[in-house]
């Protein structure tokens, strides 16, 4: 490593050590069998995604190959609870590597729990391996990981704190791209809890917003009140992206 990169790494370390984890401790759930549904195109364009090879994910530390699930019918929005003042270009890759290490070594998960992570500048990072290419079972919302997508906002967004506009728009772009084509992002979805450790006992049928907060499925303050309060706007943004894409496709 060149001296300048060593200096950068030393600068990132104190920031990494400051964060706390809002996600609860749990073991990962058993994967659902992959559905053999016909493959169709996405309902919105794919945003730019920074791959794992760019932020240097530790592939050797990953415990298991990705497990796949049916197309996402719900999105759970999270925050990572890092301090908000990070430098997007300089700090984020190290923060992601530290988070991946904590999820694997500290929580016993197979890999980074979230499918995608979005920073305050609006950059989208692939989280769990292969999430960019397929619908991958994550470890983000206990009891509701199947047929769902976990998107984490890098930072903490308590009441009165600002949710950066580029971040909100990037989360919307990922959700619009990854949600199943027939799903209404402004609607509700019926899901069954798969674990007693969630907010609902195992086997309970629950109706949730298609775009929900982590707290809707688990007893936590995640994703922070400011970000949670932004979810209605996020649903509108996602729907608009998908409607615009459909209108453009019809006009071609």
């Amino acid at each position: 490593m060149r001296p300048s990169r060593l200096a950068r790494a030393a600068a990132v370390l104190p920031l990494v050590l400051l964060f706390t984890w809002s996600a609860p401790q749990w073991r990962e759930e058993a994967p659902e069998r992959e559905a053999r549904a016909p493959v169709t195109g996405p309902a919105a364009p794919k945003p730019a995604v920074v791959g794992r090879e760019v932020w240097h994910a530790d592939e050797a530390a990953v415990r298991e190959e990705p497990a796949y699930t049916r197309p996402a019918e719900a999105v759970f929005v999270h925050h990572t609870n890092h301090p908000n003042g990070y430098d997007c270009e300089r700090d984020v890759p190290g923060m992601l590597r530290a988070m991946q290490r904590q999820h694997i070594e500290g929580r016993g998960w197979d890999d980074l729990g979230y499918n995608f992570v979005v920073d305050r500048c609006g950059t989208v990072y692939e989280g769990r391996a292969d999430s960019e290419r397929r619908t991958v079972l994550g470890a983000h919302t206990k009891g509701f990981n199947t047929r769902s997508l976990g998107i984490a906002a890098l930072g903490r967004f308590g009441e009165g704190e600002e949710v950066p506009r580029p971040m909100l728009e990037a989360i919307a772009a990922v959700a619009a791209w990854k949600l199943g084509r027939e799903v209404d992002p402004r609607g509700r979805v019926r899901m069954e809890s798969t674990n007693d450790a969630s907010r609902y006992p195992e086997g309970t049928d629950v109706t949730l917003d298609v775009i929900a907060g982590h707290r809707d499925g688990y007893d936590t303050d995640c994703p922070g009140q400011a970000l949670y309060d932004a979810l209605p706007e996020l649903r509108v943004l996602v729907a608009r992206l998908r409607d615009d894409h459909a209108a453009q496709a019809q006009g071609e």
Side-chain angles (χ1 to χ4, degrees), residues 1 3-16 90 94 97:
M1 183 182 292
S4 61
R5 295 185 68 184
L6 285 169
R8 290 179 180 176
V12 171
L13 183 58
L15 177 62
V16 171
R90 183 190 66 214
R97 290 191 296 272

Side-chain angles (χ1 to χ4, degrees), residues 140-230:
H140 49 83
T141 306
K142 189 65 171 177
F144 299 100
N145 288 313
T146 301
R147 296 182 290 114
S148 71
L149 188 73
I151 306 175
L154 196 63
R156 58 170 67 112
F157 304 98
E159 189 168 2
E161 295 188 81
E162 180 184 1
V163 180
R165 187 70 187 181
M167 171 179 274
L168 194 66
E169 291 178 348
I171 294 172
V174 176
W177 163 52
K178 276 291 187 177
L179 275 171
R181 290 185 63 87
E182 304 304 318
V183 177
D184 180 0
R186 294 158 295 196
R188 308 264 285 170
V189 61
R190 182 177 176 181
M191 305 187 79
E192 180 180 326
S193 173
T194 61
N195 198 293
D196 286 333
S198 77
R199 185 179 287 275
Y200 304 94
E202 181 177 355
T204 303
D205 284 333
V206 183
T207 301
L208 301 170
D209 289 311
V210 166
I211 298 179
H214 184 191
R215 65 175 70 180
D216 294 320
Y218 192 86
D219 188 14
T220 175
D221 65 357
C222 180
Q225 194 60 48
L227 184 51
Y228 191 77
D229 289 344

Side-chain angles (χ1 to χ4, degrees), residues 223-246:
Q225 194 60 48
L227 184 51
Y228 191 77
D229 289 344
L231 293 186
E233 182 182 3
L234 182 63
R235 296 176 189 119
V236 172
L237 289 173
V238 174
R240 184 179 303 155
L241 287 170
R242 290 161 72 95
D243 290 345
D244 288 350
H245 183 67

Side-chain angles (χ1 to χ4, degrees), residues 25-28 63 101-111:
Q25 298 276 352
W26 65 70
R27 299 291 299 181
E28 293 200 45
R63 297 176 185 269
R101 187 164 55 250
Q102 170 67 9
H103 285 189
I104 295 172
E105 298 176 3
R107 302 189 182 280
W109 298 348
D110 292 340
D111 192 2

Side-chain angles (χ1 to χ4, degrees), residues 29 44 89 242:
E29 298 166 29
E89 183 176 354
R242 290 161 72 95

Side-chain angles (χ1 to χ4, degrees), residues 9-53:
V12 171
L13 183 58
L15 177 62
V16 171
L17 294 176
L18 280 173
F19 65 77
T20 58
W21 301 95
S22 63
Q25 298 276 352
W26 65 70
R27 299 291 299 181
E28 293 200 45
E29 298 166 29
E32 181 186 69
R33 295 298 97 193
E34 181 182 0
R36 300 295 180 182
V39 177
T40 58
K46 174 183 175 294
V49 177
V50 177
R52 288 164 63 92
E53 70 281 0

